[in-house]
Structures are given as C-alpha cells and as structure tokens.
Amino acid sequence: MAAAKIAGVDKIFKIGGAQAVAALAFGTESVPKVDKIVGPGNAFVAEAKKQVFGVVSIDMIAGPSEILIVADGNNNPAHLAADLLSQAEHDKMASAVLVTNSEELAKNVAEEIENQIPLLERSEIARASIDANGKIIIADNLETVFEIANEIAPEHLELCVENPFDCLDKIRHAGSIFMGKNCPEALGDYFAGPNHTLPTGGTAKFSSPLSVDDFVKKTQYTYYTKDALKKVAEDVAYFAKQEGLTAHAKSALIRTTEEK
C-alpha cells in the first residue's frame, strides 16, 4: 500500500480469484481493462492467467511452490527438515527436495521430517506433499550436487554450504537463492525484501523473478537518410523478391528511382 501511494496509484480494487483475472483482462462496468496482470495465486488463478495471456500481458504461470536445498554434511538436520516442510505445508502439490553429498545427513533429514510432520497444523497437506513430491538425492560430490540443482531449476534454492558466496557462481538456474545456513526461505516469504513472485516448474532456466523490468517495455526505431537508403535499396529488393513479395521490393526501390 505504501509503494502504491508513492507510485501515484489512485484506484485500488479489492478483488481476487479467477473471476478477478477475467475482469481485469476484459473489463467490466466496474473494473477497467488493464494491460498487464502479475502476481501469485492458486491453481485457478494460474489457469485464468494462462487463458487470458495474449489479451493482456502476464508475468508468468507460477506454482505449485518449490524448494530445493543444496547442503553439505555440516548442517543441522532439524533445520533442513523444517525448511523443506515450510514449502510442503503450502500445497499437496508442492515440491521439497534436498540434494547433498552426505549420506548420513540425508538419513538424518529424512528422520527429522517424519518427526516434525505430526507437529504441524497443516500436517495432512505436508504429508501428502512429501509423499508425492518430496525427494532426497545423494550425489558423489558437491559439483554433481550443483549440476542436479541446475537441472531442476527450482523456485527457491537454499545454498546451505560453507562459504556460500564462493559457490554462488555454480548456480545458474534458480528463482531466488538463499545464502548460507542462517537464511531460511521463510525470510523471503515475509521479511527479507526481494520480490517473491518467482518462476516455478523449471522455468527458472529461461525466466526471472517479477521485478520492475516486467513493467517496462521497449520500442525500437530505425532512421535512414535518402543516400543511405539508395545504397541498400537493391539489396532490400533482392531479399523481398526471393520471397515473392514484390510490393516490399517496390517500397524500397520507388524511393531511389525517378517517378513520373
């Protein structure tokens, strides 16, 4: 709300759900048509955004929630289990993955997950998420761990290793990276500051978190003098004629020849 005020927003509509996406995309008597719709939502909102894309611009199709933890053997298993469950409790379709080079840590985290699930208010959801989509992957070394993380390209990635900044350039694909053992993903949800509308489902390989860039569009322009056009008009016409587009060719040549 403070950001909206600073930005000069003068209208706010308290609406939500797939029906709100439709109203914003097409316009109603009470809701004006917009050019872009951004932000997270449930599966119905995501589907609505997908269907109106092209009528309006959108940021991405986001969800379900994901976390991937890259961890070496020097970690507290209870901490990692809690972090995995912080995403598992979101949604039965959420994904929680640990990738480590330590078999001992993997076993201990698995045990901690089983200990902590019954203590959660949303234990039924977390249980279903872990059973369907939870994974613990053991790799031979940290280099392989990073390769696996990049292949999965998660929404949230916790880099729980010694000297995480030394490893940051190993991560090529992730929506948001949480650096070190004292930086749980929940910080990003509620307090840390970076935008938390993030690419999911492996789309971090080719898309980025929601940012000011999503509200900026670019227009290109071209300028030729008459002499500059004269130098290339025959080339333009050649390419056009190869495609059978003679009107294209003429539009270049007509400016460089004498007209009656």
Side-chain angles (χ1 to χ4, degrees), residues 171-254:
I171 304 299
R172 301 191 310 276
H173 307 306
S176 188
I177 302 174
F178 298 83
M179 305 288 290
K181 302 170 185 178
N182 298 304
C183 192
E185 184 276 334
L187 280 170
D189 281 327
Y190 297 112
F191 202 79
N195 196 288
H196 217 62
T197 301
L198 305 170
T200 60
T203 59
K205 289 181 179 179
F206 53 80
S207 58
S208 306
L210 179 65
S211 73
V212 293
D213 293 333
D214 288 276
F215 300 92
V216 176
K217 69 179 184 70
K218 304 174 181 69
T219 301
Q220 63 183 26
Y221 63 90
T222 305
Y223 173 75
Y224 272 62
T225 63
K226 186 173 182 178
D227 287 341
L229 174 60
K230 192 171 183 178
K231 291 177 181 178
V232 300
E234 292 288 347
D235 296 323
V236 174
Y238 175 82
F239 283 114
K241 289 175 181 177
Q242 299 311 303
E243 294 189 307
L245 301 176
T246 52
H248 281 66
K250 186 174 182 179
S251 74
L253 294 174
I254 200 169

Side-chain angles (χ1 to χ4, degrees), residues 27-128:
T28 71
E29 290 182 0
S30 57
V31 179
K33 183 184 185 309
V34 301
D35 295 318
K36 186 151 193 171
I37 298 174
V38 305
N42 59 22
F44 301 103
V45 168
E47 178 61 27
K49 287 172 65 180
K50 183 177 181 179
Q51 291 194 26
V52 301
F53 176 61
V55 178
V56 295
S57 176
I58 63 171
D59 49 352
M60 67 189 78
I61 308 296
S65 187
E66 304 166 350
I67 186 170
L68 184 146
I69 300 176
V70 166
D72 58 25
N74 188 25
N75 272 278
N76 186 321
H79 296 177
L80 302 186
D83 293 354
L84 292 167
L85 291 172
S86 74
Q87 295 307 293
E89 71 174 356
H90 264 301
D91 186 331
K92 292 180 180 181
M93 296 176 65
S95 171
V97 178
L98 169 67
V99 189
T100 180
N101 63 335
S102 169
E103 185 173 351
E104 181 181 3
L105 180 71
K107 291 178 179 178
N108 291 337
V109 170
E111 291 176 3
E112 275 294 332
I113 288 173
E114 296 305 316
N115 293 336
Q116 292 184 29
I117 285 178
L119 306 177
L120 302 175
E121 288 188 14
R122 295 168 65 91
S123 59
E124 182 181 352
I125 293 173
R127 175 82 273 164

